[in-house]
Amino acid sequence: MAPLNEEQLHQIRDERRDQIMGAAIKVFAHRGIAGTKMSMIAAEAGISHGLLYHYFKSKEELLTKLVEEAMAGAEDAISSIYRLPGTPLEKIRAFSMEMLDESGAPYFMLIHQVRTSDGVPEKVKELIAHYNMDRFIEYMLPLFVEGQQAGEILPGDPAELISAYLSVLSALMVLNVQALGGYRMPKVDMLLRMIACL
Amino acid sequence: MAPLNEEQLHQIRDERRDQIMGAAIKVFAHRGIAGTKMSMIAAEAGISHGLLYHYFKSKEELLTKLVEEAMAGAEDAISSIYRLPGTPLEKIRAFSMEMLDESGAPYFMLIHQVRTSDGVPEKVKELIAHYNMDRFIEYMLPLFVEGQQAGEILPGDPAELISAYLSVLSALMVLNVQALGGYRMPKVDMLLRMIACL
Amino acid sequence: MAPLNEEQLHQIRDERRDQIMGAAIKVFAHRGIAGTKMSMIAAEAGISHGLLYHYFKSKEELLTKLVEEAMAGAEDAISSIYRLPGTPLEKIRAFSMEMLDESGAPYFMLIHQVRTSDGVPEKVKELIAHYNMDRFIEYMLPLFVEGQQAGEILPGDPAELISAYLSVLSALMVLNVQALGGYRMPKVDMLLRMIACL
Amino acid sequence: MAPLNEEQLHQIRDERRDQIMGAAIKVFAHRGIAGTKMSMIAAEAGISHGLLYHYFKSKEELLTKLVEEAMAGAEDAISSIYRLPGTPLEKIRAFSMEMLDESGAPYFMLIHQVRTSDGVPEKVKELIAHYNMDRFIEYMLPLFVEGQQAGEILPGDPAELISAYLSVLSALMVLNVQALGGYRMPKVDMLLRMIACL
DNA sequence: GATGAATGAGCATTCATTCAT
DNA sequence: AATGAATGAATGCTCATTCAT
């Protein structure tokens, strides 16, 4: 009966969804939640605004899906650190470079926008609440302890070290999206001095 | 009975303007440029929205004035560094603590909002363009050179050191406005490790 | 293997049309003209909205066809009165019971919706204009006169009697579609008291 | 401080509200709930649609207020029956004439629209549920019983008599708003034959 | 100076309709 | 014939701005 088979339809839908979400994160990150108009997203994705609503019931749903994806991505990024080669400090170094290479910046930017915007729906705020730095600290704790035992990383409360270091990384990512205003991204080795034994 | 004289009227006017600008920066910083409604500012300032327009011709003018103030304030903050006591590194340390104590955060936040928002009027963008980090680097250059000569600060291109360090400071200020999400502001001494000889 | 012949295709087509019109009148009657979305009709009929447009060029055409059918049906119902058994009053009694048994209510409801909705296309309004009560009065006139001569029906202008009585019948049908709000359909004998000699 | 005093402002607001509600009930009654656009109400009231939202937060709120008013009005109308002069049947006669004189028709029409439209917000539906005919039956019960004892009104369950009679009255009001299609409002005396001893 | 009623441009969302498959 | 992706006009609602008082 169906003129296009199930699979073709599914593929179209998936492609469109990705296309829209890609456009949306770009616009949200740059213009803020309230500053982003659905028509901008549609234009960026090259479709009509009507079609946008065929795929996402509302601006809120689109934002929610984006945040969910961002959080899953962040978790992925952090958890990948153990698969990197070398000593703990080398792993952290490689991880830091990956973070700062800007490809994930829109996601961090989006989360920052959500976090600092008061006009965001409660549901999205809740999602973000789970994206607590504590989860990431837990992930990295064994690595930092190992580094401290190896004499590579500064002594002291490792949770505090991690939190401070990740805060700086996150902050730089948020700030640097557009490399405007003369900000210059610090070299990774400079950042590592904050936590490494020299 | 006698009507207020010229000067008194002027003073009331100035107070009102300050009151409004104080309210405005708070709201802008938290809700973003587009997310901030004139009525929110009026409510925050405790006046009618009609009165807002007696003091500022438009949202754009208010934003412009705010950005101008923010830029002047930033310049003040940076230039004050030479009036602080101690060695160059001690001056930088004191300056850093002042920056991070959050009192100036809304201004940095505002500037960040303006910088990363595409929907901001061109005129305001131009203002911001002047607020180039290069000016601040120039200000701090003698201090860093002095510190390097004293062996307190790492060798290497001082302009790059300053730029990187200020980027981190700015980034943390922007990120930290609400201290949400488990981010913990790093200790100043940890940040100083990025630039100091240990 | 052999493709369906002309006639079979035609029959399928007719069945589909009936299926759609049946769904449409239900939805129109319950939700009003403007409140009825094409997608609702498609869902009620169990087909895609795309297919709807294979059978009816537009919402307006569908509504028009429905109104035409409703009017033909009403005429049938009225004209059938002479085929009923018994004295004039008995015929009227049987006819009244048939009307009120609710099966034809959606049609009356639809006509009422069209009549009282200002947003209906002019073409449909014109159709309705023909469905004037005067036609029905003409139909029933001989019957009422006969009843008056037999002393069963009140004396006086028979056209006025008919008009009033049919108005009450129509009104009750329109009102009663959903039997909500505690309205209770009056017994037919009670209604007949309006026109009958007791 | 205030340029217009409290009272003047209040008066303006009240007038505007009445003006809007008057316009709204007219449009809702004629075009149905879904068929009524806020812009139509604004146009009917002779104001901008922006001002409409100054007075009523949403279409739903406006509809709710209208229904509340309609229900209060209906209760008033029914309860006023005891203040009419004459025997029970005479009271009922006077009451019926008042009902049918069309001034209250838009309210009945509105309630009918709400009752038969599926797209109406739940909150409004609940309001209507209270406007149950049972309440009105209770009101009129003593009057009908008195009429039966006086031999003016038919014997039998008075609640059923009332319910049936009020159903007919309501139905006629709903049907007759525009006196279209050749419907002719029956004379009150004809309607009274349904319940009166002759 | 101060207020809030009033306006209208702009944005989120819905829905009739078209069309490629 | 049948489906659902795609479009855009229309509608509810918000908000910057103006203005009478």
Side-chain angles (χ1 to χ4, degrees):
Chain A
M1 293 298 174
L4 284 180
N5 66 46
E6 195 77 3
E7 196 182 335
Q8 287 173 306
L9 239 36
H10 205 69
Q11 193 190 330
I12 290 182
R13 282 193 76 83
D14 282 355
E15 272 173 28
R16 276 276 182 269
R17 281 186 76 92
D18 287 352
Q19 179 185 0
I20 292 171
M21 288 180 76
I25 196 159
K26 226 185 284 184
V27 187
F28 271 126
H30 283 295
R31 305 187 81 107
I33 314 289
T36 295
K37 318 298 172 191
M38 291 299 262
S39 59
M40 294 172 184
I41 298 175
E44 178 75 31
I47 60 172
S48 71
H49 66 271
L51 191 55
L52 209 52
Y53 285 89
H54 201 64
Y55 287 92
F56 297 91
K57 234 188 354 261
S58 65
K59 187 174 173 180
E60 177 172 341
E61 182 184 309
L62 177 51
L63 179 58
T64 304
K65 290 273 189 277
L66 238 27
V67 168
E68 281 170 358
E69 197 182 77
M71 283 165 47
E75 199 141 331
D76 272 7
I78 300 255
S79 68
S80 75
I81 196 169
Y82 286 102
R83 290 194 291 280
L84 296 171
T87 68
L89 195 61
E90 284 167 356
K91 284 184 206 294
I92 293 168
R93 188 174 192 284
F95 167 76
S96 301
M97 295 205 69
E98 232 172 61
M99 291 261 97
L100 294 179
D101 83 347
E102 194 160 323
S103 64
Y107 284 108
F108 270 81
M109 195 68 196
L110 175 69
I111 290 182
H112 177 246
Q113 296 274 14
V114 170
R115 200 193 301 290
T116 57
S117 296
D118 284 349
V120 171
E122 206 46 46
K123 205 188 149 197
V124 180
K125 288 268 187 194
E126 279 170 32
L127 262 176
I128 291 280
H130 283 282
Y131 173 79
N132 198 295
M133 186 149 294
D134 292 342
R135 298 185 59 141
F136 301 145
I137 293 178
E138 263 178 64
Y139 263 117
M140 304 189 84
L141 207 52
L143 192 68
F144 268 65
V145 170
E146 190 189 334
Q148 288 179 319
Q149 286 166 347
E152 277 186 334
I153 292 180
L154 284 178
D157 178 2
E160 204 182 316
L161 277 184
I162 298 170
S163 167
Y165 187 69
L166 286 182
S167 291
V168 170
L169 275 189
S170 301
L172 286 170
M173 262 182 299
V174 165
L175 194 71
N176 202 56
V177 178
Q178 300 186 295
L180 280 177
Y183 289 115
R184 263 168 257 166
M185 185 59 81
K187 300 255 170 66
V188 169
D189 286 322
M190 180 180 259
L191 297 178
L192 286 177
R193 290 176 59 90
M194 284 193 295
I195 55 167
C197 294
L198 303 172
Chain B
M1 292 306 159
L4 297 178
N5 63 41
E6 191 77 3
E7 194 181 338
Q8 285 171 308
L9 278 173
H10 203 69
Q11 191 188 333
I12 290 181
R13 212 179 149 78
D14 282 356
E15 274 172 26
R16 271 273 190 264
R17 283 184 73 95
D18 286 352
Q19 176 188 1
I20 293 171
M21 288 179 75
I25 193 155
K26 223 185 286 183
V27 186
F28 271 126
H30 280 286
R31 306 189 81 105
I33 313 286
T36 294
K37 319 299 173 193
M38 291 298 264
S39 60
M40 293 173 184
I41 297 174
E44 178 75 30
I47 61 173
S48 73
H49 63 271
L51 190 52
L52 213 51
Y53 284 87
H54 265 276
Y55 288 95
F56 298 92
K57 213 168 46 231
S58 67
K59 187 175 173 178
E60 179 173 337
E61 182 187 308
L62 177 52
L63 179 57
T64 305
K65 292 277 189 267
L66 237 27
V67 168
E68 282 169 358
E69 195 183 78
M71 283 165 46
E75 201 142 329
D76 272 6
I78 300 255
S79 68
S80 75
I81 196 170
Y82 287 103
R83 291 193 293 279
L84 295 170
T87 69
L89 195 60
E90 281 167 357
K91 284 184 206 293
I92 295 169
R93 189 176 189 283
F95 167 76
S96 301
M97 294 202 72
E98 232 170 61
M99 292 263 97
L100 294 179
D101 80 350
E102 197 162 319
S103 62
Y107 284 107
F108 270 80
M109 193 70 196
L110 177 68
I111 290 182
H112 177 246
Q113 297 272 15
V114 170
R115 197 193 305 290
T116 56
S117 295
D118 286 347
V120 171
E122 208 44 48
K123 203 187 151 197
V124 181
K125 286 270 189 194
E126 279 169 31
L127 262 176
I128 290 279
H130 286 283
Y131 171 79
N132 198 293
M133 185 151 295
D134 293 341
R135 296 185 61 134
F136 301 144
I137 293 177
E138 263 179 63
Y139 263 117
M140 304 188 87
L141 208 51
L143 191 69
F144 269 64
V145 170
E146 190 190 335
Q148 288 179 319
Q149 285 165 350
E152 276 186 334
I153 294 180
L154 285 178
D157 177 4
E160 204 182 316
L161 276 183
I162 298 170
S163 167
Y165 187 70
L166 287 183
S167 291
V168 170
L169 274 189
S170 302
L172 286 171
M173 265 183 297
V174 166
L175 193 72
N176 201 54
V177 177
Q178 300 187 296
L180 281 177
Y183 289 115
R184 261 169 259 168
M185 185 58 82
K187 299 252 173 67
V188 169
D189 287 322
M190 182 179 257
L191 298 178
L192 287 176
R193 290 177 59 90
M194 285 193 295
I195 56 167
C197 294
L198 302 173
Chain C
M1 293 308 160
L4 298 177
N5 63 41
E6 192 76 4
E7 193 181 338
Q8 285 172 307
L9 277 173
H10 202 69
Q11 189 187 333
I12 290 181
R13 215 181 147 76
D14 282 357
E15 275 171 24
R16 272 273 190 266
R17 284 184 73 95
D18 286 352
Q19 176 188 0
I20 292 171
M21 289 180 75
I25 194 156
K26 223 186 285 186
V27 186
F28 272 126
H30 281 285
R31 306 188 82 105
I33 313 285
T36 295
K37 319 301 173 191
M38 290 299 263
S39 60
M40 293 173 183
I41 297 174
E44 178 75 31
I47 61 173
S48 72
H49 62 272
L51 191 52
L52 213 50
Y53 284 87
H54 264 277
Y55 288 94
F56 297 92
K57 212 167 47 231
S58 66
K59 187 175 174 179
E60 179 172 340
E61 183 186 308
L62 177 51
L63 179 59
T64 305
K65 291 275 188 269
L66 236 28
V67 169
E68 281 169 359
E69 195 182 80
M71 283 164 47
E75 199 141 333
D76 272 5
I78 300 255
S79 68
S80 74
I81 197 169
Y82 286 102
R83 292 195 291 280
L84 294 170
T87 69
L89 195 60
E90 282 166 355
K91 283 187 208 290
I92 294 169
R93 189 174 191 284
F95 166 76
S96 301
M97 295 203 72
E98 231 170 62
M99 292 263 97
L100 294 179
D101 80 352
E102 195 162 323
S103 62
Y107 284 108
F108 270 81
M109 192 70 195
L110 176 69
I111 290 181
H112 177 246
Q113 297 272 15
V114 170
R115 196 193 305 288
T116 57
S117 296
D118 286 347
V120 171
E122 206 45 47
K123 206 187 148 196
V124 180
K125 286 270 188 193
E126 278 169 32
L127 262 176
I128 290 281
H130 286 283
Y131 171 79
N132 199 293
M133 184 152 293
D134 292 342
R135 295 185 62 135
F136 301 143
I137 293 177
E138 264 177 62
Y139 263 117
M140 303 187 86
L141 208 50
L143 191 68
F144 269 64
V145 170
E146 189 189 334
Q148 287 179 321
Q149 286 164 351
E152 275 186 333
I153 293 181
L154 286 177
D157 178 3
E160 203 182 316
L161 276 184
I162 298 170
S163 166
Y165 187 70
L166 286 183
S167 290
V168 170
L169 274 190
S170 301
L172 286 171
M173 264 183 296
V174 166
L175 193 72
N176 201 55
V177 176
Q178 299 187 298
L180 280 177
Y183 290 115
R184 261 169 259 168
M185 185 58 82
K187 300 251 173 68
V188 169
D189 287 324
M190 181 180 258
L191 298 177
L192 287 176
R193 290 177 58 90
M194 287 192 293
I195 54 167
C197 295
L198 301 172
Chain D
M1 295 293 173
L4 283 179
N5 65 44
E6 196 75 2
E7 195 181 336
Q8 285 172 307
L9 238 37
H10 204 69
Q11 191 190 330
I12 290 182
R13 282 194 76 84
D14 282 356
E15 271 173 27
R16 276 276 182 268
R17 282 187 76 93
D18 287 352
Q19 178 186 0
I20 292 172
M21 288 180 77
I25 196 160
K26 225 185 283 183
V27 186
F28 271 126
H30 283 296
R31 304 187 83 104
I33 313 289
T36 294
K37 318 300 173 190
M38 290 299 262
S39 59
M40 294 172 184
I41 297 175
E44 177 75 31
I47 61 173
S48 71
H49 67 272
L51 192 55
L52 208 51
Y53 285 91
H54 201 65
Y55 286 93
F56 296 91
K57 234 189 355 262
S58 65
K59 187 174 172 179
E60 177 172 342
E61 182 184 309
L62 177 50
L63 178 58
T64 305
K65 290 275 188 277
L66 237 28
V67 169
E68 281 170 0
E69 196 182 79
M71 283 164 47
E75 198 141 333
D76 272 7
I78 299 256
S79 68
S80 73
I81 196 170
Y82 286 102
R83 290 195 292 278
L84 296 171
T87 69
L89 195 60
E90 282 166 357
K91 284 184 208 292
I92 294 168
R93 189 175 190 284
F95 166 76
S96 302
M97 295 204 71
E98 232 171 61
M99 292 262 97
L100 293 178
D101 81 349
E102 193 160 324
S103 64
Y107 285 108
F108 270 81
M109 195 68 195
L110 176 69
I111 289 181
H112 178 247
Q113 295 274 15
V114 170
R115 200 192 302 288
T116 56
S117 297
D118 284 348
V120 171
E122 207 45 46
K123 206 189 148 196
V124 180
K125 287 268 187 193
E126 279 169 32
L127 262 176
I128 291 280
H130 284 282
Y131 172 77
N132 198 294
M133 183 147 298
D134 292 341
R135 297 186 59 141
F136 301 145
I137 293 177
E138 263 179 64
Y139 264 116
M140 306 189 82
L141 207 52
L143 192 69
F144 268 65
V145 171
E146 190 190 333
Q148 288 179 320
Q149 286 165 348
E152 277 185 333
I153 293 180
L154 285 178
D157 178 1
E160 205 183 314
L161 277 183
I162 298 171
S163 168
Y165 187 69
L166 287 182
S167 290
V168 170
L169 275 190
S170 301
L172 286 171
M173 262 181 298
V174 166
L175 194 71
N176 201 55
V177 177
Q178 300 185 296
L180 280 177
Y183 289 115
R184 263 168 257 167
M185 185 59 80
K187 300 254 173 64
V188 170
D189 287 324
M190 180 179 259
L191 298 177
L192 285 176
R193 291 178 58 90
M194 284 193 293
I195 55 167
C197 295
L198 303 173

